[in-house]
């Protein structure tokens, strides 16, 4: 009799988990492929306007710009940006025009709810421009982290404020310590170069909003008392800049403007939310024109966009962690 050694077949205890894992991995891969295919259809499909809108929006954010690179080369993204943009201008605010402040409104601040097809936000009207000051991180050379707009408002014993110019933000982890370009505080250049051209946004000694491309030395010659750097300029001497295509994507925005009666306009648009996708540059220009701005310019946006009034943030900031630390803020005393 032949005896056979029969070995009982044992299933490895983790083989069942492996099967489940492979099934889930297959579904995940299929989902990613489907999502990529859908995105490809949207971004490179037959609707140029939808493609331009979504791609322009992605390109204005650090994280989503990396996603856009999965579908477009740098050259293609540059082409899209150029055909959906705001033109630069060589004009600078006319400093000769004067304004007369309505004495009955001098101490007033109006706050208006702003709504459009894709956005919601707040417009603040400050009737006395002499109340506007620049608050800034004076320890930026250390560098010391910037502050929240609420902190600037409280420190300066102010009643309101919005974020100001841009800042160095490596990998979206910047601390608001180092501002971009030119910063002028109380008539002194505290950041930036005297001979470097920048887009300058600020107020002169006569409380007029000055916007234009200039060097630090020229900004001081113009008598700017408080100023920051950001872009683009929207309106100069009543004339809006030329818009190409859709004029940028839909994102949170912060804008500053001034009317011919001297009243200053603070505009903050919410974005990247289900209730407010955001506004394009074209939208911002239209709002500023509607409310009578003779000069207006874009300030830092995205997760920096915030409006503070009476010690509280009155817009819906995009980040779940709240507003960001920034090096500068325009405040209302």
């Amino acid at each position: 009799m032949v005896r056979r050694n029969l070995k009982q077949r044992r299933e490895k205890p983790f083989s069942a988990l492996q099967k489940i894992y492979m099934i889930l991995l297959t579904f995940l891969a299929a989902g990613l492929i489907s999502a990529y295919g859908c995105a490809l259809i949207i971004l490179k499909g037959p609707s140029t306007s939808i493609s331009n809108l979504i791609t322009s929006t992605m390109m204005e954010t650090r994280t989503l710009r990396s996603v856009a690179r999965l579908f477009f080369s740098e050259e293609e993204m540059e082409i899209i940006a150029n055909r959906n943009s705001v033109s630069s201008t060589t004009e600078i605010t006319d400093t000769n025009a004067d304004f007369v402040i309505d004495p009955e409104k001098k101490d007033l601040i109006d706050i208006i709810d702003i709504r459009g097809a894709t956005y919601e936000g707040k417009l603040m009207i400050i009737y006395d421009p002499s109340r506007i000051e620049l608050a800034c991180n004076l320890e930026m050379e250390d560098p010391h982290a910037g502050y929240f707009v609420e902190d600037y408002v409280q420190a300066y014993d102010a009643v309101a404020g919005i974020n100001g110019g841009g800042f160095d933000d490596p990998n979206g982890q910047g601390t608001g310590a180092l501002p971009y370009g030119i910063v002028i505080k109380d008539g002194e250049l505290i950041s930036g170069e005297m001979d470097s051209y920048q887009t300058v946004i600020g107020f002169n000694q006569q409380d007029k909003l000055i916007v234009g491309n200039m060097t630090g030395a020229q900004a001081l010659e113009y008598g700017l008392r408080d100023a920051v750097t950001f872009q683009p300029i929207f309106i100069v001497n009543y004339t809006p800049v030329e818009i190409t295509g859709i004029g940028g994507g839909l994102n949170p925005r912060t804008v500053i403007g001034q009317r011919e009666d001297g009243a200053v306009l603070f505009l903050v648009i919410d974005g990247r939310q289900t209730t407010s996708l955001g506004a394009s540059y074209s939208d911002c220009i239209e709002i500023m024109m509607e409310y009578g701005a003779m000069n207006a310019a874009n300030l830092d946006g995205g997760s920096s966009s915030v409006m503070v009034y009476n010690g509280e943030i009155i817009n819906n900031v995009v980040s779940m962690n709240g507003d960001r630390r920034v090096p500068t803020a325009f405040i209302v005393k």
Side-chain angles (χ1 to χ4, degrees):
M1 183 175 64
V2 179
R3 299 181 61 184
R4 294 180 180 178
N5 293 324
L6 299 178
K7 295 182 179 179
Q8 186 177 5
R9 186 177 177 183
R10 293 185 179 181
E11 190 171 340
K12 294 182 179 179
F14 54 86
S15 63
L17 294 177
Q18 282 182 320
K19 291 178 181 178
I20 295 173
Y21 174 77
M22 291 304 297
I23 292 171
L24 292 176
L25 188 61
T26 301
F27 276 111
L28 178 61
L32 290 175
I33 292 172
S34 298
Y36 182 85
C38 291
L40 196 62
I41 293 172
I42 294 172
L43 297 177
K44 291 196 170 184
S47 177
T48 303
S49 59
I50 294 177
S51 175
N52 287 342
L53 179 62
I54 296 176
T55 306
S56 297
T57 300
M58 295 170 68
M59 289 167 58
E60 290 179 357
T61 66
R62 185 180 301 275
T63 301
L64 292 181
R65 186 179 179 87
S66 299
V67 177
R69 289 192 178 98
L70 298 175
F71 303 91
F72 301 97
S73 66
E74 291 294 336
E75 292 75 17
E76 288 175 319
M77 289 197 294
E78 184 176 354
I79 291 173
I80 293 173
N82 289 336
R83 69 185 183 211
N84 299 281
S85 62
V86 175
S87 300
S88 60
T89 177
T90 58
E91 294 294 316
I92 299 177
T93 301
D94 180 8
T95 58
N96 294 321
D98 295 322
F99 46 73
V100 178
I101 303 171
D102 185 343
E104 295 184 0
K105 294 185 176 181
K106 185 179 177 65
D107 298 325
L108 295 181
I109 293 177
D110 287 339
I111 299 175
I112 301 170
D113 290 328
I114 299 294
R115 290 185 176 85
T118 62
Y119 60 83
E120 295 180 355
K122 300 286 186 182
L123 177 73
M124 181 180 293
I125 304 176
I126 305 98
Y127 289 92
D128 182 0
S130 69
R131 299 177 66 183
I132 309 299
E133 294 185 16
L134 182 70
C136 59
N137 174 18
L138 297 176
E139 301 172 290
M140 62 181 67
E141 292 184 359
D142 288 347
H144 185 284
Y147 297 91
F148 300 109
V149 174
E150 309 102 291
D151 295 334
Y152 286 122
V153 170
Q154 182 178 7
Y156 282 76
D157 195 24
V159 296
I162 56 173
N163 59 292
F167 56 93
D168 187 29
D169 191 23
N171 300 317
Q173 302 299 316
T175 62
L178 301 174
Y180 285 145
I182 290 169
V183 177
I184 295 174
K185 170 65 177 169
D186 296 330
E188 294 186 10
L189 184 71
I190 64 172
S191 182
E193 304 295 332
M194 283 289 189
D195 57 354
S196 176
Y197 275 90
Q198 302 286 349
T199 301
V200 177
I201 306 162
F203 292 86
N204 65 10
Q205 300 294 344
Q206 289 72 45
D207 306 318
K208 172 166 285 189
L209 177 65
I210 307 296
V211 298
N213 294 309
M214 63 189 78
T215 65
Q218 289 173 328
L220 294 178
E221 290 174 3
Y222 268 88
L224 284 168
R225 59 171 172 83
D226 293 313
V228 298
T229 290
F230 209 69
Q231 60 181 356
I233 293 170
F234 286 151
I235 304 169
V236 187
N237 302 323
Y238 299 96
T239 303
V241 297
E242 183 179 347
I243 298 294
T244 303
I246 61 173
L250 303 179
N251 277 297
R253 309 286 185 190
T254 301
V255 185
I256 189 170
Q258 188 176 41
R259 305 189 316 202
E260 65 178 6
D261 63 354
V264 176
L265 308 175
F266 284 175
L267 173 66
V268 171
I269 297 293
D270 300 330
R272 303 174 196 166
Q273 303 170 40
T274 56
T275 56
S276 181
L277 298 177
S280 67
Y281 291 146
S282 299
D283 293 327
C284 295
I285 293 173
E286 289 177 3
I287 296 170
M288 285 286 112
M289 294 289 289
E290 179 183 351
Y291 285 88
M294 61 179 179
N295 295 287
N298 188 50
L299 296 173
D300 193 11
S303 53
S304 298
S305 289
V306 62
M307 179 179 287
V308 174
Y309 182 63
N310 284 339
E312 297 182 353
I313 295 175
I314 61 172
N315 71 300
N316 296 314
V317 296
V318 60
S319 173
M320 292 186 295
N321 298 321
D323 56 327
R324 300 190 65 185
R325 293 178 180 271
V326 293
T328 56
F330 282 107
I331 59 172
V332 185
K333 296 298 291 289

